[in-house]
Amino acid sequence: MCTAFLVTTRVGGGDDAAFVGAARLAGVRRVVKLSAAAVLDEGAGDLITRWQREGEELLCASGMEWTLLRPRAFMSNSLSWAASVRSEGTVRALYGGSGNACVDPRDVAQAAVRVLTEEGHASRAYTLTGPEAVTAVGQTRQLGRLLGVGLRFEELSVGQARAALAGRYPAPVVEALLQSAQRQRAGAKAGVGDGVAALTGRPAGTFAAWARDHLAAFAPAPATDGAGT
């Protein structure tokens, strides 16, 4: 059986259509698409979610077998705080008290391996979350305990968050991310699913476990006395 894994990142581009067309011509039998949990939220109408929904619809209408993986936000997104944690002992985020059942990307990878290599997953969709909803404030506390330091959390205003995101993404994507954050603030991303356990046979990994395994990214560089060796 020829199976392909579809991951696209250019929001609003035609990459899904190009991939599906090429896969069909190449004789691919089944495509596993990495989508997003937000597609299930009826209140989500932002650009990124619409793009993911369109990609799912395109694949499901392709005539090939399909499987959809719909993860919540990756725990590794917190690596965007690493520089400020190392240099200032500070985490800055928007809506720091809002919960997100973020998922360990290693769980997503293991789930993908299972559906790519096993039968029985055609025409099925799996929502992948962590075991609990965590907040940026709570993540800051957990990182601080693991590092053995007192980290500070600073709440960003919407304007500050927009300015920070504008340095990394096009304006339409920035607005989509801000809309997504508002939905998180309203509780839309706090729900916990059983997709990871169903596919891997074990509980989903916690943020603390992920952070412990990636602590070096947040740890300040050791001080030196300036002496040569």
Side-chain angles (χ1 to χ4, degrees):
M1 179 185 71
C2 184
T3 304
F5 189 43
L6 171 56
V7 182
T8 52
T9 59
R10 189 165 61 98
V11 178
D15 296 338
D16 283 77
F19 185 99
V20 167
R24 191 165 44 217
L25 288 174
V28 172
R29 174 182 157 193
R30 179 160 54 95
V31 174
V32 176
K33 174 176 170 57
L34 187 68
S35 183
V39 300
L40 299 173
D41 183 357
E42 294 182 356
D46 61 87
L47 172 65
I48 297 172
T49 304
R50 295 198 311 271
W51 164 66
Q52 290 285 21
R53 287 194 184 113
E54 290 166 2
E56 288 192 2
E57 292 166 1
L58 177 72
L59 175 58
C60 293
S62 68
M64 295 181 289
E65 292 182 5
W66 52 267
T67 305
L68 303 173
L69 296 179
R70 294 166 169 163
R72 191 52 80 192
F74 288 176
M75 293 176 181
S76 52
N77 289 351
S78 62
L79 288 170
S80 65
W81 305 331
S84 64
V85 168
R86 289 194 306 268
S87 62
E88 306 172 61
T90 301
V91 169
R92 297 181 179 89
L94 180 64
Y95 306 140
S98 62
N100 189 315
C102 54
V103 63
D104 188 329
R106 296 173 296 188
D107 287 344
V108 178
Q110 187 172 351
V113 169
R114 295 294 295 270
V115 298
L116 283 164
T117 59
E118 297 177 348
E119 293 291 338
H121 300 289
S123 302
R124 299 192 66 178
Y126 299 93
T127 301
L128 308 176
T129 76
E132 61 181 347
V134 294
T135 68
V137 171
Q139 288 170 305
T140 301
R141 293 196 190 104
Q142 292 187 55
L143 282 170
R145 283 196 294 269
L146 290 168
L147 290 167
V149 299
L151 297 182
R152 290 177 290 115
F153 178 83
E154 292 185 5
E155 179 82 22
L156 294 178
S157 68
V158 173
Q160 289 171 326
R162 178 179 286 110
L165 291 169
R168 301 165 57 192
Y169 303 106
V173 173
V174 169
E175 295 309 311
L177 291 171
L178 292 175
Q179 291 172 38
S180 178
Q182 290 173 354
R183 288 190 297 104
Q184 178 172 316
R185 187 186 190 191
K189 302 184 182 184
V192 173
D194 63 355
V196 170
L199 288 173
T200 67
R202 57 167 178 76
T206 64
F207 177 77
W210 177 89
R212 188 177 300 111
D213 290 342
H214 296 82
L215 205 57
F218 299 93
T224 63
D225 59 9
T229 57

